Amino acid sequence: MSTPFLRNCNVFLYKPESTKLYSYNQKMPKTTLKKLAAILGLSTATVSKALKNYPDINADTKKRVIDLATSLNYQPNSLAQGLRNKESKIIGLIIPEIVHHFFSNIISGCIKAAEKRGYLVIVLQTNESFEQEKNHLKILMNKNVDGILLSLSDNTTQHKHIKQVIDRGIPIVLYDKISKLIKSSKVVIDDQKAAFNATQYLIDSGCKKIA
């Protein structure tokens, strides 16, 4: 059991087995699967299965692994898991501007839907800049995102940078501001039908003068 020591108003942890002092101001050694396995005398495969609640691992072993992992604050390496599964669990969302109410709703909706499925959303803003749009797509490709949602900037005149994303095998969905020249999934609004429905609603509500 760790014994706290106070020294110059810093808290230190004494580890009998290693006779080392670790300050809370210092970076603590990271707990890994190998470390858990070594302490418990198990294989890393058994520890990994126990943490994932595999049925072929008995209940006592699972409890030992989970208790130790909890006490050492073990956190899975999401990057390593992503490399094994060939997915990052990250979605990129590129918007022209955050202050617009429409895009605020887009951000909120994407994050809620992604969180339900265990995904993280990276939100990037172009400020209607074509150069920013290209840079943001490069950033997301380097992050190995699983997909990208993009609203084109007003200054986007060519689509070579978007084709590069598609050629990398990264799904891309255009929304709001789109281009028919880009072969990708698109989310569009039927402006004519929306205007008709809005006008009809006003008429049905008793409005006489509609501008």
Side-chain angles (χ1 to χ4, degrees):
M1 183 174 181
S2 299
T3 305
F5 289 85
L6 293 179
R7 182 175 297 176
N8 297 327
C9 296
N10 288 327
V11 178
F12 293 82
L13 292 180
Y14 174 62
K15 297 223 169 193
E17 67 277 11
S18 61
T19 64
K20 290 182 180 179
L21 292 172
Y22 294 96
S23 169
Y24 279 127
N25 292 332
Q26 296 175 349
K27 186 176 180 180
M28 298 291 287
K30 186 177 180 180
T31 302
T32 63
L33 276 178
K34 286 185 178 180
K35 182 176 180 178
L36 295 176
I39 293 173
L40 295 168
L42 302 170
S43 69
T44 54
T46 298
V47 172
S48 178
K49 285 185 174 182
L51 291 171
K52 294 175 182 176
N53 198 28
Y54 273 55
D56 57 331
I57 305 299
N58 67 62
D60 180 62
T61 300
K62 286 180 185 177
K63 186 177 187 306
R64 287 173 58 211
V65 171
I66 293 171
D67 286 349
L68 181 61
T70 302
S71 67
L72 295 181
N73 194 30
Y74 168 74
Q75 298 295 327
N77 188 328
S78 57
L79 177 59
Q81 289 180 337
L83 290 173
R84 286 194 297 271
N85 301 330
K86 295 184 178 180
E87 60 179 19
S88 64
K89 304 297 285 186
I90 300 174
I91 295 173
L93 173 61
I94 299 179
I95 63 173
E97 54 184 348
I98 294 177
V99 294
H100 196 289
H101 180 68
F102 172 75
F103 291 112
S104 296
N105 286 336
I106 292 289
I107 293 172
S108 178
C110 285
I111 291 176
K112 286 181 180 178
E115 285 180 342
K116 288 180 181 179
R117 294 163 178 80
Y119 281 81
L120 174 71
V121 178
I122 296 178
V123 181
L124 298 170
Q125 180 177 244
T126 64
N127 289 312
E128 302 292 4
S129 165
F130 174 55
E131 290 302 318
Q132 281 283 66
E133 182 177 294
K134 289 195 295 182
N135 290 336
H136 290 342
L137 284 176
K138 285 182 181 178
I139 290 171
L140 294 175
M141 282 194 290
N142 289 336
K143 293 289 184 183
N144 293 315
V145 297
D146 293 334
I148 298 173
L149 293 99
L150 168 66
S151 177
L152 298 173
S153 74
D154 286 342
N155 297 316
T156 297
T157 55
Q158 54 95 352
H159 311 117
K160 183 179 178 180
H161 59 305
I162 298 174
K163 187 177 183 301
Q164 290 175 341
V165 176
I166 297 171
D167 290 343
R168 277 275 298 268
I170 300 175
I172 188 165
V173 177
L174 300 182
Y175 69 96
D176 187 45
K177 299 174 187 176
I178 67 168
S179 171
K180 293 181 179 179
L181 300 176
I182 302 172
K183 295 181 179 179
S184 72
S185 298
K186 301 176 182 70
V187 178
V188 296
I189 298 174
D190 187 336
D191 292 331
Q192 185 175 0
K193 185 176 180 181
F196 174 83
N197 290 340
T199 304
Q200 189 63 52
Y201 173 79
L202 292 174
I203 294 172
D204 294 342
S205 299
C207 296
K208 301 298 182 182
K209 297 182 180 180
I210 301 174

